[in-house]
Amino acid sequence: MNIVVYGAGAIGSLFGAILSKNNNVVLIGRKSHVETINKNGLIVKGKTNIKKKVLSFENIKNVSSPDLMIISVKSYDTEKTMIEAKKLISKKTVVMSLQNGLDNLEKIEKYVSRDKIAVCITTHGAIFSKLGVIIHTGFGKTIIGNPNGENTNKLFDIVKIFNEAGIETTVSDDIICEMWIKGIINSSINPLTTIFNCKNGYLLENPILDKLVEKICKESTDIAYSYGLDLDYNEMIMKTKKVIYETNENFSSMLQSYKKGKKTEIDSINGVILKIGKKNELNFFLNDFLVHLINSI
Ligand SMILES: NC(=O)c1ccc[n+]([C@@H]2O[C@H](COP(=O)([O-])OP(=O)(O)OC[C@H]3O[C@@H](n4cnc5c(N)ncnc54)[C@H](OP(=O)(O)O)[C@@H]3O)[C@@H](O)[C@H]2O)c1
């Protein structure tokens, strides 16, 4: 399959490197990263070890329309990226969002119809170590689905090539629900770990933060429910605490962005939940507070 990964950072470069085992992969990323890859090959260390030449560019000038375009920029870059990326989209192209955040689908939909979009939720972990080098920090599960639940043969082909490459992947008939489950979990973990500059595990060790996680999770789940997602609070809190427990030694992506002095994805996670909470006249105090606090620091 011909694949373009748009946004060769941590997760995009990892998936690109793994998929390049049995597909034609082109990476589009920042100049310094792609120049290093073209010179030395793309290097993946940690849970996976790969060193491979993967064709990389800083723009789409010499790239042809792919069968699969993976969008792996941060949520705040999706819109800008799509303006450029749309030029590569042809009839055959499936555009797949490999991102966290609850508003990427709407941003992508402005440029491509829903039937040609796939959403990919993954619990793999990756860190951008240095130019040309990615660390695969943790294996995880990956779920792919069409947002309308209309999973075509093409989508099953994509799932097949993911599995063949070694990315354990399943299809979901309700990928929007999966996206929201991850969104609610992130809304309850990421801002708190950033404000308290702590590893995920500290949220369970500190009894006050443990209670606060529960309260945020409840508010986010109630808002998601009002938006039509049939999610149960008790299940969501269990899932959230399980993630905290399993990633207790990790620094959340939001905290990592903050430490690097970069923008965070707060507006696409808690910010979206807040907007829906306001619109549906529900309690949104905690999400409002977190969005303001994170944006102010
Ligand atoms: N890393 C993980 O373990 C992981 C796991 C699951 C999901 N996710 C999600 O995946 C998405 C990407 O995360 P990430 O950690 O991979 O972020 P990242 O390392 O910042 O990667 C994004 C890359 O895309 C580049 N970029 C942005 N706009 C571009 C453009 N128009 N053309 C070319 N390159 C562009 C960025 O460059 P600049 O930094 O210079 O802007 C950056 O190098 C996020 O939504 C994240 O939440 C990440």
Side-chain angles (χ1 to χ4, degrees):
M1 196 176 277
N2 292 317
I3 302 173
V4 165
V5 177
Y6 217 117
I11 203 74
S13 301
L14 173 69
F15 272 51
I18 299 175
L19 290 168
S20 73
K21 280 184 207 162
N22 52 353
N23 299 278
N24 299 318
V25 174
V26 171
L27 301 177
I28 299 175
R30 296 302 188 200
K31 191 170 191 275
S32 44
H33 185 52
V34 304
E35 277 180 357
T36 310
I37 294 172
N38 287 331
K39 194 167 155 229
N40 304 334
L42 173 59
I43 298 169
V44 177
K45 293 180 175 173
K47 302 281 177 192
T48 299
N49 278 295
I50 299 174
K51 182 173 181 184
K52 195 151 188 254
K53 286 258 175 229
V54 182
L55 204 54
S56 307
F57 297 98
E58 60 172 311
N59 56 47
I60 62 163
K61 235 190 281 169
N62 296 309
V63 182
S64 26
S65 177
D67 303 301
L68 171 65
M69 179 189 286
I70 297 177
I71 304 293
S72 55
V73 295
K74 291 273 170 106
S75 306
Y76 48 79
D77 280 328
T78 304
E79 188 104 44
K80 223 164 117 196
T81 298
M82 283 308 298
I83 292 171
E84 196 55 26
K86 72 174 185 203
K87 297 171 194 156
L88 281 185
I89 300 170
S90 64
K91 265 189 179 168
K92 64 175 181 184
T93 312
V94 171
V95 179
M96 174 185 286
S97 162
L98 170 60
Q99 298 167 292
N100 288 324
L102 298 166
D103 57 358
N104 291 302
L105 183 55
E106 277 122 66
K107 290 174 185 166
I108 293 172
E109 242 183 332
K110 287 187 192 162
Y111 303 94
V112 51
S113 58
R114 247 184 197 229
D115 56 311
K116 294 174 75 183
I117 300 176
V119 175
C120 177
I121 305 295
T122 189
T123 53
H124 277 276
I127 292 177
F128 193 97
S129 171
K130 58 179 181 183
L131 296 176
V133 183
I134 303 300
I135 300 178
H136 186 189
T137 51
F139 272 99
K141 299 238 160 75
T142 301
I143 316 171
I144 297 178
N146 167 264
N148 290 337
E150 290 159 10
N151 294 322
T152 56
N153 287 343
K154 195 141 193 198
L155 194 128
F156 282 95
D157 287 346
I158 294 168
V159 170
K160 187 164 171 264
I161 60 136
F162 270 51
N163 280 306
E164 282 168 357
I167 303 169
E168 192 190 329
T169 307
T170 51
V171 176
S172 168
D173 292 336
D174 195 352
I175 197 71
I176 300 291
C177 187
E178 300 293 344
M179 183 179 87
W180 268 88
I181 288 172
K182 192 155 189 215
I184 292 169
I185 294 171
N186 285 338
S187 79
S188 315
I189 299 175
N190 292 11
L192 281 185
T193 56
T194 306
I195 292 158
F196 288 89
N197 191 4
C198 64
K199 288 183 176 172
N200 290 354
Y202 184 64
L203 300 181
L204 295 184
E205 284 164 27
N206 181 318
I208 297 172
L209 292 183
D210 182 58
K211 269 274 155 294
L212 203 46
V213 166
E214 289 182 9
K215 283 181 190 294
I216 298 164
C217 188
K218 171 146 183 30
E219 189 181 286
S220 296
T221 307
D222 286 347
I223 291 172
Y225 190 82
S226 78
Y227 191 58
L229 290 134
D230 191 11
L231 296 170
D232 174 69
Y233 162 67
N234 290 312
E235 262 177 50
M236 279 313 305
I237 191 69
M238 262 165 51
K239 284 191 170 145
T240 302
K241 290 199 176 182
K242 187 166 178 268
V243 170
I244 298 175
Y245 181 76
E246 287 171 354
T247 60
N248 66 333
E249 280 300 315
N250 293 7
F251 292 108
S252 72
S253 57
M254 195 172 284
L255 176 55
Q256 287 179 44
S257 298
Y258 169 68
K259 280 182 166 172
K260 284 187 203 153
K262 286 191 153 191
K263 232 175 131 169
T264 73
E265 295 187 294
I266 188 87
D267 292 331
S268 297
I269 304 172
N270 302 72
V272 171
I273 296 171
L274 162 66
K275 260 191 217 153
I276 297 170
K278 271 187 186 168
K279 192 166 164 232
N280 294 352
E281 296 179 359
L282 287 162
N283 184 16
F284 53 77
F285 173 80
L286 290 169
N287 277 288
D288 196 18
F289 183 67
L290 293 171
V291 169
H292 281 95
L293 214 51
I294 292 293
N295 280 330
S296 68
I297 64 168

